[in-house]
Amino acid sequence: MRIVVLAGGIGGARFLRGLKQAVGPDSEITVIGNTGDDIHLFGLKVCPDLDTVMYTLGGGIHEEQGWGRADESFSVKAEMKAYGVGPEWFGLGDKDFATHIVRTQMLGAGYPLSAVTEALCDRWQPGVRLLPMSDDRVETHVLTDIDGERKAVHFQEYWVRHHATIPAHAIIPVGAETAKPAPGVLEAIAEADVVILPPSNPVVSVGTILAVPGIRRAVAQAAAPVIGLSPIIGGAPVRGMADKVLEAVGVETSAAAVAKHYGSDLLDGWLVDESDAAAVAEVEAAGIPCRAVPLWMTDVDATTAMARAALAFAEAVRTA
Amino acid sequence: MRIVVLAGGIGGARFLRGLKQAVGPDSEITVIGNTGDDIHLFGLKVCPDLDTVMYTLGGGIHEEQGWGRADESFSVKAEMKAYGVGPEWFGLGDKDFATHIVRTQMLGAGYPLSAVTEALCDRWQPGVRLLPMSDDRVETHVLTDIDGERKAVHFQEYWVRHHATIPAHAIIPVGAETAKPAPGVLEAIAEADVVILPPSNPVVSVGTILAVPGIRRAVAQAAAPVIGLSPIIGGAPVRGMADKVLEAVGVETSAAAVAKHYGSDLLDGWLVDESDAAAVAEVEAAGIPCRAVPLWMTDVDATTAMARAALAFAEAVRTA
């Protein structure tokens, strides 16, 4: 079975760990990763979402934190501070720095991000094919107010530095309109047996991937069922601050609203948490088949059950 | 008093520590640092000699080793190995990596190496003005035989990887012929009250600095006395493997031969170790005033005495 997953960072990565356990070794999982969160720090190219997927599936992730490396040290960062070179608010450990140095060196040598990601995965062996959504630079900016002035800041500045506590008036995936899908992205979607939107952020993760010209249409027109899992449970994000960016794009923070935001042209099925069973009728009224199942990724087994539910739903949709 | 020192790495840095102690706080020391050893590693610009001077005078050096940082860790390097990215033979610690990241970022932003070095020194406060010999790229290569094949390798590959145990047929400062002295270099030499060639490697350190067009002539024509300290004692290098590169340029490994290699047009005085007192006559016969004094840099006080001897010699030469 060929499975395509459009993934952001922590939520997507944890879902993928369950999905890998849910499927047999003869299944092929292609992950199309969000690169809108990418940022240049200290002259190095940092790809937080790709790395979170790679580290999580490759066994290097800091489990409690959900991002960055386990057993990490912060010697380089302390030196940067001693040199007075910022930003200080982005937590890069020494091991993590190495990944960004290797990536930046390869990009500087002329390799596209997709080739670099493949090379990094040679080490991590994530057990999935990890593709960046695009080899072109896309940077999600947030239109906000800082010190009374309206300005656009990099998503990471909004998210990590300000913890999404400053107003978000608009989310702008800068460069998306001219970006091309990375090699293999459209083909993977076209050849998939199922496409899954995991409980990643629907605006700044999955939404950014879908903003790359050609990807949304490829997903919408895919022969395969497209099944989404709600990142909203009981009117709040499972984790992170998705409510803030949903508000910025005028979408209510509810499982049903997110489904309708994706749209019936895109989704062939939507899973909400069992506590949101009341939303099933609203989603189905919008033309999207919907089921309520447990959606808390409390551990790998719970996540595996979620992945199985998504695959079963896809099968049901396919034969309906 | 305005003092100019043409310095390589460890030998030059240790001499400078003694010189700083020998002179009063109203003296200005300008160090013209060798950049022919510079190398790009992992996409980062590494300047071993400039950093050794900066760390040594700024209190960050690994004292026993003579290069690199004290209390260093090697997390980034271990990750590089895990990624299969080399070379493994160059020892870069985590703290050291930070310096190279900052430098590379600033160079990438368009700052010349001299401005970058000044910015790094803002932190280290070495108590000297540290200038790279040139803002242009100069890379010392060594013509050698590897596996029966004659080829030119980067000096660091010859020196650090092969420990100078492979043949050296020629030393080639690639790029030197078109390099320009960094801003301030020629002015500092012209305005100096004394110019010192410390016991650095006469071929790959001081020799490379002198290979930058304009610098040798500026030193030779300087109004100030030019005093050199022999890096050879008793027919062997004080440290390092200078004998190998002297052989490559056809110079005997002796205190007198190095003086004559520099030449009477350049030197106004040459200090040899007291154990080489027999060489004084030979050096003076070549037209270079010479004295024998203790030249072992066993500790800072011994080095301070060497610096005082050099300054006294300059004074004697000036008034002669």
Side-chain angles (χ1 to χ4, degrees), chain B residues 144-151 166-167 169:
Chain B
T144 185
D145 298 318
I146 294 180
D147 299 332
E149 203 181 334
R150 184 147 303 190
K151 60 185 287 196
I166 55 176
H169 303 296

Side-chain angles (χ1 to χ4, degrees), chain B residues 237-263:
Chain B
V238 171
R239 69 176 312 287
M241 304 154 285
D243 49 327
K244 303 301 176 72
V245 288
L246 281 167
E247 196 184 333
V249 298
V251 175
E252 190 195 321
T253 301
S254 77
V258 171
K260 291 191 273 187
H261 173 63
Y262 279 137

Side-chain angles (χ1 to χ4, degrees), chain B residues 14-23 196 199 227-229 271-274 291-314:
Chain B
R14 288 187 174 164
F15 175 80
L16 283 163
R17 192 149 57 177
L19 179 64
K20 274 176 66 181
Q21 190 164 298
V23 301
I196 298 179
I227 306 296
L229 296 93
L271 291 175
V272 300
D273 183 61
E274 50 191 356
R291 286 185 185 177
V293 299
L295 286 191
W296 287 104
M297 297 193 285
T298 42
D299 56 31
V300 177
D301 286 342
T303 312
T304 303
M306 284 169 55
R308 288 209 178 99
L311 294 172
F313 197 13

Side-chain angles (χ1 to χ4, degrees), chain B residues 210-235:
Chain B
L210 294 172
V212 176
I215 295 186
R216 188 188 169 92
R217 192 175 57 183
V219 173
Q221 298 183 345
V226 178
I227 306 296
L229 296 93
S230 177
I232 307 294
I233 298 180

Side-chain angles (χ1 to χ4, degrees), chain A residues 42-44 54-55 69 73 75-76 79-80 82-83 85 94-95 97-99 101-102 105 120 123-124, chain B residues 42-44 54-55 69 72-73 75-76 79-80 82-83 85 94-95 97-99 101-102 105 120 123-124:
Chain A
F42 314 110
L44 301 172
M54 188 171 77
Y55 294 160
R69 297 286 306 279
S73 55
S75 190
V76 176
E79 288 295 308
M80 291 299 172
Y83 278 117
V85 174
D94 297 330
K95 294 181 180 178
F97 257 108
T99 300
I101 292 169
V102 172
Q105 182 181 18
L120 295 174
R123 168 186 176 190
W124 288 103
Chain B
F42 314 110
L44 302 173
M54 187 171 78
Y55 294 160
R69 296 287 306 279
E72 188 55 290
S73 57
S75 190
V76 176
E79 288 294 308
M80 291 299 172
Y83 277 117
V85 173
D94 297 329
K95 293 180 180 178
F97 256 109
T99 300
I101 292 170
V102 173
Q105 182 181 18
L120 295 174
R123 169 187 175 188
W124 289 103

Side-chain angles (χ1 to χ4, degrees), chain B residues 88-171:
Chain B
E88 283 183 41
W89 48 264
F90 203 90
L92 288 183
D94 297 329
K95 293 180 180 178
D96 210 10
F97 256 109
T99 300
H100 311 317
I101 292 170
V102 173
R103 175 185 290 121
T104 305
Q105 182 181 18
M106 286 192 70
L107 289 169
Y111 292 95
L113 183 60
S114 50
V116 174
T117 303
E118 189 180 347
L120 295 174
C121 285
D122 269 352
R123 169 187 175 188
W124 289 103
Q125 296 291 321
V128 302
R129 187 165 65 126
L130 178 59
L131 302 177
M133 64 188 199
S134 177
D135 280 335
D136 301 320
R137 184 166 171 175
V138 177
E139 254 184 28
T140 304
H141 286 203
V142 178
L143 188 64
T144 185
D145 298 318
I146 294 180
D147 299 332
E149 203 181 334
R150 184 147 303 190
K151 60 185 287 196
V153 299
H154 191 288
F155 171 72
Q156 298 292 0
E157 189 167 346
Y158 168 76
W159 199 253
V160 177
R161 183 180 193 178
H162 295 290
H163 306 286
T165 56
I166 55 176
H169 303 296
I171 312 293

